[in-house]
Amino acid sequence: MRTLFEISRSGLRHMQRSLSVTSNNVINAETPGYSRQRAISSPAGNQLTGYHIGLGVNATEVQRLRDELNDQILSDKQHSMGFMEQKMSHLQRLEAAMTSDSGSDLDVRLSKFFDSFSDLSSSPQDMSMRNAVASEAVQLTHKLHEMSRSNDRTGELAQDSARSNIEEINGLLRDIHTLNESIRRGEAKGQGDYSSLDLRVAKMEELSRLVGFESQVSGLDSMEIRINGILVVDETSWHELKPEFRTGSEEMHVRLANGKNVHVTEGALGADLEMINDQIPNFRIELDQLAETVVQEVNQVHISGYGLEDDQQRHFFDPTRTTASGIQVRDEILQNHEHIAASTESETAGNGELAIEMASLRDKALFGHRKIGDQAVQMIAGPGREIHQLEAQMESRESEIQMLKNQQEQVAGVNLDEELAMLIQYQNAYQGAARMMTAAQDTYDTLIAMLR
């Protein structure tokens, strides 16, 4: 009789646990990051002399279903996806800063500036032509000023983004450390903290978009995280990231509170740092080189010629201001357009040969084999070319990420039809165990009655 009661009791206990686990799966079917669970059982019995007697079922554990290798591969893909998405955002901002809807891009402004000298060559005494030269020169300088400011602003926004991402990364590292402690306590008691494990997966997925890292599970299911080999989370602690600007440099670097440098190359933060330390400065250098070339080449020609008012030779642009942010037409040219040189000889008002020479600068290979207009187009088109390449790479990477998510969903996702079918199965099994308990109780009562 005791065996019957024990078998019935174990069946009721196991079915009750299975119903609880399955009901939890159903309720969390739409919960992001939830991994379905299964109650694992094994037969219970006792080996006696000459035979074996069954004693029901042992509910050994609740198993969390998840493909950890899939998570690792997905994390690696997310690192590069986060990098590309963030870089795309910065490049789109930079592209918008260099182009305009009005068609007044840098190459157009350069072309119109040299066109104005070409027009002046045919009528060197025409003041309206001289006014046009001065006007186009001012608009060219304004365009260079605008592009320089926009480049600086893009750099400032990249710095703000990097600081924000570092702050968010620190919050996630702190949360993962806290979850490590909760998971470790559960494991120490022999009770898996599956809610914390699922939440940790979600936190690490967020982290993977922000920064590249390597992870591994240490004792009692604690997660160790390293960024480019530098430990930032372990079983007992986590380390805060801090932005740093080195003395005399605009470069931003990341280090730990203990002083260790962390070389970040992946994720959104990696894209921020690449823009701050590489692409923004390089574009500024290219823009300044173009401005310097304009100042030097135009001045070199202009100072060899003469205007209408006197025989004094003058620079057209201020020779001391050769950057894109500082380029400026000389005040005496702006205040008196008769000082614009168009002639190669003094006191020869009708000679427009110098204006022709000035206009021909547009056809001169000033940047290796490239003309100045081609160099401007090369600069303007640079971000667009990178954006186009990134779009193709992101499309491919998004497909890979979606495939990995679908594979993980097949393992860890909740199939409501399957879970509801199992609920019915467990309910029937529970009712069967209850009837067995009732039958055992009736048999026991009958025996007691007979003995009386």
Side-chain angles (χ1 to χ4, degrees), residues 253-421:
H253 298 272
V254 179
R255 64 178 179 85
L256 301 184
N258 60 16
K260 284 186 179 179
N261 289 322
V262 182
H263 188 51
V264 179
T265 58
E266 294 183 296
L269 180 57
D272 290 336
L273 295 176
E274 182 176 295
M275 292 298 296
I276 294 166
N277 300 334
D278 186 10
Q279 292 202 252
I280 297 295
N282 286 344
F283 180 75
R284 183 184 297 118
I285 290 170
E286 289 182 6
L287 193 60
D288 285 344
Q289 286 176 341
L290 188 142
E292 183 180 11
T293 300
V294 168
V295 171
Q296 291 177 348
E297 295 293 331
V298 169
N299 280 350
Q300 185 177 347
V301 174
H302 195 269
I303 202 172
S304 65
Y306 304 90
L308 296 177
E309 189 176 78
D310 53 37
D311 60 357
Q312 184 178 345
Q313 295 177 311
R314 299 175 175 85
H315 287 112
F316 187 86
F317 291 107
D318 186 337
T320 65
R321 301 169 71 94
T322 59
T323 63
S325 62
I327 185 173
Q328 184 174 313
V329 181
R330 292 191 67 194
D331 288 341
E332 59 181 319
I333 298 291
L334 292 177
Q335 292 166 7
N336 187 348
H337 297 166
E338 291 188 357
H339 290 328
I340 296 174
S343 174
T344 55
E345 298 179 13
S346 62
E347 300 180 0
T348 306
N351 182 345
E353 292 179 7
L354 187 125
I356 294 174
E357 185 179 348
M358 188 75 78
S360 69
L361 286 176
R362 78 172 104 201
D363 299 319
K364 188 177 178 181
L366 301 175
F367 295 86
H369 298 293
R370 284 199 296 269
K371 301 171 186 176
I372 192 167
D374 296 336
Q375 177 67 11
V377 171
Q378 181 83 1
M379 288 172 50
I380 295 170
R385 286 194 302 271
E386 281 199 70
I387 289 171
H388 181 71
Q389 293 171 359
L390 283 173
E391 285 174 343
Q393 294 172 8
M394 287 171 63
E395 185 177 352
S396 174
R397 187 50 47 87
E398 185 62 42
S399 176
E400 294 172 357
I401 288 173
Q402 191 57 52
M403 180 188 69
L404 289 168
K405 286 184 175 180
N406 291 340
Q407 290 176 351
Q408 186 65 276
E409 186 67 16
Q410 292 174 3
V411 176
V414 177
N415 184 315
L416 283 176
D417 291 338
E418 180 183 347
E419 299 299 323
L420 292 173

Side-chain angles (χ1 to χ4, degrees), residues 1-271:
M1 289 302 300
R2 180 180 177 185
T3 300
L4 286 175
F5 280 116
E6 182 61 30
I7 291 173
S8 302
R9 187 178 65 85
S10 69
L12 288 169
R13 186 172 60 245
H14 174 58
M15 290 307 117
Q16 186 178 30
R17 189 173 190 182
S18 296
L19 282 166
S20 176
V21 170
T22 305
S23 298
N24 191 52
N25 287 340
V26 172
I27 295 301
N28 285 284
E30 300 301 323
T31 302
Y34 177 79
S35 301
R36 65 190 174 110
Q37 301 168 15
R38 284 286 176 264
I40 306 302
S41 62
S42 61
N46 191 16
Q47 187 67 41
L48 301 177
T49 304
Y51 67 98
H52 178 274
I53 185 170
L55 296 177
V57 61
N58 285 326
T60 54
E61 63 174 332
V62 174
Q63 184 181 33
R64 175 174 171 265
L65 303 179
R66 193 165 191 90
D67 187 342
E68 303 293 344
L69 179 59
N70 184 290
D71 280 339
Q72 184 63 54
I73 298 173
L74 179 59
S75 178
D76 292 339
K77 301 294 183 184
Q78 296 274 35
H79 296 163
S80 59
M81 190 64 177
F83 177 90
M84 289 187 287
E85 287 177 336
Q86 189 74 348
K87 189 173 182 179
M88 171 80 81
S89 174
H90 289 309
L91 287 173
Q92 287 172 337
R93 191 178 295 118
L94 190 59
E95 183 184 40
M98 288 189 289
T99 58
S100 62
D101 295 334
S102 63
S104 299
D105 296 338
L106 180 59
D107 60 320
V108 175
R109 294 263 62 93
L110 283 166
S111 180
K112 288 186 175 181
F113 172 65
F114 291 121
D115 282 347
S116 68
F117 271 103
S118 180
D119 295 338
L120 180 63
S121 67
S122 61
S123 302
Q125 299 182 54
D126 190 331
M127 290 306 298
S128 65
M129 295 291 187
R130 291 177 173 273
N131 294 342
V133 169
S135 175
E136 291 298 340
V138 169
Q139 290 188 63
L140 173 60
T141 60
H142 287 173
K143 183 62 182 179
L144 287 165
H145 296 165
E146 176 192 339
M147 291 178 68
S148 180
R149 287 194 301 270
S150 297
N151 185 64
D152 292 343
R153 180 56 180 159
T154 302
E156 291 169 2
L157 291 173
Q159 290 179 16
D160 291 343
S161 176
R163 292 188 184 94
S164 176
N165 283 331
I166 289 173
E167 185 177 344
E168 191 172 351
I169 289 168
N170 285 332
L172 290 168
L173 294 178
R174 181 174 56 250
D175 291 344
I176 291 170
H177 169 65
T178 301
L179 291 167
N180 272 347
E181 291 181 334
S182 177
I183 292 165
R184 191 168 62 249
R185 285 194 298 268
E187 289 293 330
K189 296 176 182 177
Q191 301 172 350
D193 187 350
Y194 295 148
S195 294
S196 293
L197 282 167
D198 286 342
L199 187 54
R200 188 175 69 183
V201 168
K203 295 290 183 181
M204 290 185 67
E205 184 174 345
E206 290 182 53
L207 184 65
S208 67
R209 287 270 182 171
L210 295 172
V211 65
F213 61 85
E214 309 89 45
S215 62
Q216 66 176 24
V217 177
S218 59
L220 295 178
D221 264 344
S222 287
M223 185 65 70
E224 286 187 356
I225 296 177
R226 286 178 168 81
I227 299 176
N228 208 359
I230 303 297
L231 187 67
V232 292
V233 175
D234 58 19
E235 292 184 18
T236 58
S237 61
W238 71 280
H239 303 280
E240 182 180 6
L241 304 183
K242 292 186 176 181
E244 178 186 59
F245 287 93
R246 294 176 182 171
T247 304
S249 172
E250 294 183 4
E251 290 188 0
M252 176 184 280
H253 298 272
V254 179
R255 64 178 179 85
L256 301 184
N258 60 16
K260 284 186 179 179
N261 289 322
V262 182
H263 188 51
V264 179
T265 58
E266 294 183 296
L269 180 57

